[in-house]
Amino acid sequence: MTETAEAIKIQRGLKGVYFDRSPCTFIDGKAGELRYRGYSIHELAEHSSVRADQDPVPADQALSHSANLLWMLTGKKPSADAAQLIDRDLILHAEHGSNASSFAARVVIGTEANLHAAIVAAIAALSGPAHGGAAEDVMRMAEEIGDPSRAADYVKKKRKAGIAVTGFGHRVYRAEDPRARHMRAGVERLSKEMGQPKWFEILQAVVAAMAPYARHGVNVNVDFYSGVVYHLLGIKRDLFVPIFAIGRLPGWVVQVLEQLENNILLRPLTLYNGPDARTYVSLDRR
């Protein structure tokens, strides 16, 4: 064994190796101590609570699936209109062909992984803002506009800068997303019921400002209305995508089952566009 080899110490499994700094978790294995950002795990376990210092709300067996979703999120019994609108939202998002998250689920199940792994992969794909973030972006846009009278100028500036107006256009649809119309009237009713009609008015003002671009295939999509629905129902912004996932779960399961019926490992090709065959030149000749 050489002198150099003797100086190298192998840390199997990277045991005892520090690879970065973190302000999050402190662990003292010898003392049996664990702290999250300085707070003892014992105090957190005894006194803290999965979001807003509230106990989880148990399901009410007398409520429908959609009504229970709102009840368990907010602790308030939803109106019939609110429950119906969420039910419609879940149905409209249930399945949509070979979208990014559904395809991710098929890729994973194609490797003969289990259903849970496939669904986790789908959720991971949905978490990307380019796939699952439209509803949140629309609500952010509505807040930025603030008043229906400002919608036309907002759209004009976005289009002039070459920036897409969120909630419009779709990778599949050249005409209006067929799902969008089923949310429009419900949003109007709900915004009035909640005493906040301006949100629907802002959305409609944006639709009017975008009308000239419809002939180019830039039409309203289903997520244009979903974000305002969630906002009006008091749902926190970071739960918009999880609600999307709840609605899409049946579609992911269907896609997985279809893949399993005649399963094959998904292994698409890439079209090579690199250099043509060339002769290797040794280093001393370069």
Side-chain angles (χ1 to χ4, degrees), residues 176 180-189 200 204 220 225:
E176 181 182 276
R181 71 183 65 174
H182 298 287
M183 296 296 290
R184 187 183 298 118
V187 173
E188 183 177 16
R189 287 197 308 272
F200 178 74
Q204 289 309 99
V220 66
Y225 294 104

Side-chain angles (χ1 to χ4, degrees), residues 116 194 209 226 269:
H116 297 86
M194 296 296 185
S226 294
L269 303 175

Side-chain angles (χ1 to χ4, degrees), residues 38-178:
Y39 297 103
S40 168
I41 190 64
H42 302 300
E43 293 182 358
L44 292 173
E46 289 290 331
H47 306 296
S48 190
S49 67
V50 174
R51 185 173 174 87
D53 196 29
Q54 298 174 340
D55 293 329
V57 178
D60 185 335
Q61 299 301 318
L63 296 178
S64 67
H65 176 71
S66 56
N68 249 317
L69 174 60
L70 292 175
W71 159 242
M72 295 173 74
L73 280 175
T74 65
K76 300 175 183 177
K77 296 291 176 67
S79 68
D81 277 349
Q84 182 187 43
L85 197 54
I86 282 293
D87 199 45
R88 184 172 297 171
D89 181 76
L90 295 178
I91 291 170
L92 295 174
H93 282 102
E95 158 60 11
H96 205 236
S98 188
N99 54 80
S101 55
S102 294
F103 187 73
R106 280 184 174 262
V107 170
V108 172
I109 207 68
T111 69
E112 299 183 4
N114 60 39
L115 173 64
H116 297 86
I119 298 303
V120 167
I123 292 171
L126 187 70
S127 71
H131 183 19
E136 187 175 349
D137 288 343
V138 170
M139 193 60 226
R140 193 178 293 112
M141 174 183 71
E143 289 176 335
E144 186 178 343
I145 293 172
D147 188 89
S149 64
R150 298 180 56 195
D153 285 341
Y154 177 90
V155 169
K156 185 177 180 180
K157 288 178 182 177
K158 286 284 187 180
R159 298 296 298 184
K160 187 176 181 180
I163 302 173
V165 177
T166 190
F168 286 82
H170 198 278
R171 288 288 295 273
V172 176
Y173 301 115
R174 300 300 294 169
E176 181 182 276
D177 184 336

